[in-house]
Every structure is written in C-alpha cells, then in structure tokens.
C-alpha cells in the first residue's frame, strides 16, 4: 500500500555535500518527493520530534550499551553517562539529539511510496554507521559512529532521520505545522 514518510537530511549530510547522493537513493528506490524544504528545526519542533517516551529512550540507551560493549566497556559508559540504565542514558541522548537537529538547517522531505516508512528505514540502514550494512546510506556515506558520538558527548552523525512506521503520520503533522 502507498504511504507517506518523513525524512530529513541532518547537518552532516549538508556539510558533507551528500544531499544529491542521498536523495538519489530514495528516487532510485521508487519514492516520489511530495514536499522538500531546507529550514531550521525550532526548539519547539525538536521537543516534539524527540519526546521523552520510555520505550524510545530505552531503545536508544540500549544502542549505546551495545556499541560501548564492543569498545570502551561499562566503565566508560558510567564515566560518560553516570549510569548504566538504558532509560537514563536515553534521556541524555535525547538532549544531544534535540541540540544537533536544531543546530543548523536541515532538508526535510515527505516521500511517497510502497510501504514507505519500512522501505525508507531499510535504505538508511542501522542507527550506528559503524555496523550499518554496505549498500545502505549510513553504511556507505557516514564516517561517524555511536562510539565516537558518545566520546564527544554529542549525537551520532548518521546523515538521515526517517520516521518509524507508526510515528510517520505524527511527525509529518509536526513538520507540516512547524517546518514547511
Ligand atoms: P534512528 O531511528 O535509526 O535514527 O535511531 P534512534 O531513533 O534510536 O535515535 C535517534 C538518533 O539519536 C540517531 O539517529 C542518532 O543520531 C542518535 N543516537 C541514537 N543512539 C545513540 C547513541 O547511543 N549515542 C549517540 N551519541 N547518539 C545516538
Ligand atoms: Mg528513530
């Protein structure tokens, strides 16, 4: 079934002059661009985009625990976050995300296509570019990693945001109101 998906190209995509290459991946996969605009994400929109939901924050915190277990270990997690609880770690990551997403202008698009959110997320690849598969946007174009982001106490620069399927209509609504 045709559906819509919200993506935005993060500051590192623009800084790295990767906009054309990234958009081409979506077009080549059959997506149609319905809307597209470069603008600043306001503090207000950043709060809506990265809400303090327990499930989402715990999920993000667990990604840190996985990434740091390969490198740095639990000692480093405690040093960086003052806790090893994924939910508490997630709260700090969300602060970094809000700051990064609203630091400089991003390019947001509403895409339309078959099973749009799931297919867009497959194209962008895993959150941590260090383990994202080759052939995915993050795997091919991002040099950053969750580990490097954590060590510098900032969001991982992984080029693209794409809504989870159940959040897509909600995030599209927020961007229609506060961005486009
Ligand atoms: P996504 O849906 O794949 O983008 O991942 P999430 O929704 O879980 O996280 C949102 C964003 O937060 C990611 O795209 C990263 O930029 C950042 N992020 C997530 N987990 C971590 C982490 O463990 N450490 C750091 N530094 N950034 C993270
Ligand atoms: Mg996400």
């Amino acid at each position: 079934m045709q559906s819509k998906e919200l993506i935005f190209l993060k500051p590192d995509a623009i800084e790295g002059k990767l906009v054309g290459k990234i958009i081409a991946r979506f077009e080549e996969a059959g997506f149609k661009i319905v809307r597209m605009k470069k603008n600043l994400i306001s503090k207000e929109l950043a709060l809506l985009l990265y809400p303090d939901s327990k499930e989402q924050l715990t999920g993000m915190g667990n990604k840190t625990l996985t990434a740091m277990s390969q490198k740095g270990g639990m000692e480093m997690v405690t040093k960086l976050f003052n806790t090893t609880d994924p939910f508490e770690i997630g709260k700090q990551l969300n602060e970094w995300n809000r700051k990064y997403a609203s630091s400089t202008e991003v390019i947001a698009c509403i895409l339309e296509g078959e099973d749009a959110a799931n297919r867009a997320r497959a194209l962008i690849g895993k959150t941590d570019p260090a383990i994202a598969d080759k052939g995915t946007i993050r795997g091919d174009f991002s040099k950053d990693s969750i580990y490097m982001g954590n060590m510098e106490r900032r969001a991982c620069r992984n080029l693209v945001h794409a809504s989870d399927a159940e959040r897509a209509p909600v995030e599209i609504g927020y961007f229609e109101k506060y961005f486009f």
Side-chain angles (χ1 to χ4, degrees):
M1 211 182 67
Q2 293 279 309
S3 53
K4 290 195 171 75
E5 167 72 335
L6 182 277
I7 65 161
F8 64 82
L9 277 55
K10 299 185 185 186
D12 53 324
I14 296 169
E15 187 62 33
K17 302 184 177 68
L18 291 164
V19 172
K21 284 185 176 141
I22 293 172
I23 297 294
R25 293 277 175 112
F26 290 102
E27 289 193 327
E28 282 158 9
F31 284 101
K32 191 173 117 186
I33 297 171
V34 180
R35 298 200 75 152
M36 187 167 179
K37 183 176 175 175
K38 187 167 185 255
N39 198 1
L40 197 63
I41 291 180
S42 64
K43 294 271 173 316
E44 195 176 24
L45 178 55
L47 275 169
L48 293 168
L49 186 63
Y50 298 110
D52 285 325
S53 111
K54 179 131 195 177
E55 194 191 335
Q56 161 71 8
L57 294 188
T58 306
M60 273 201 308
N62 277 322
K63 286 178 197 173
T64 267
L65 293 177
T66 306
M68 299 302 287
S69 69
Q70 324 287 327
K71 239 176 160 182
M74 283 311 119
E75 212 171 288
M76 186 55 77
V77 172
T78 309
K79 202 170 150 195
L80 287 170
F81 298 97
N82 223 1
T83 176
T84 55
D85 177 62
F87 179 49
E88 293 301 322
I89 293 171
K91 283 187 196 165
Q92 297 178 54
L93 295 175
N94 235 12
E95 291 298 327
W96 298 351
N97 277 337
R98 290 169 183 152
K99 194 169 155 196
Y100 185 52
S102 55
S103 61
T104 61
E105 288 189 327
V106 305
I107 296 171
C109 307
I110 297 175
L111 303 176
E112 192 173 70
E114 196 61 31
D115 191 17
N118 291 322
R119 286 184 50 248
R121 290 198 54 90
L123 285 179
I124 69 174
K126 292 198 182 85
T127 304
D128 189 351
I131 57 165
D133 295 328
K134 285 286 153 223
T136 65
I137 293 168
R138 287 165 171 173
D140 289 351
F141 300 133
S142 175
K143 308 268 180 297
D144 202 32
S145 67
I146 280 184
Y147 177 76
M148 285 193 274
N150 287 349
M151 295 304 283
E152 294 176 9
R153 295 172 197 272
R154 56 161 177 80
C156 174
R157 297 175 189 140
N158 55 8
L159 301 169
V160 195
H161 168 89
S163 304
D164 291 327
E166 71 283 2
R167 282 272 295 170
V170 180
E171 292 187 4
I172 287 170
Y174 294 152
F175 272 73
E176 289 285 9
K177 187 161 179 205
Y178 296 106
F179 188 93
F180 288 116

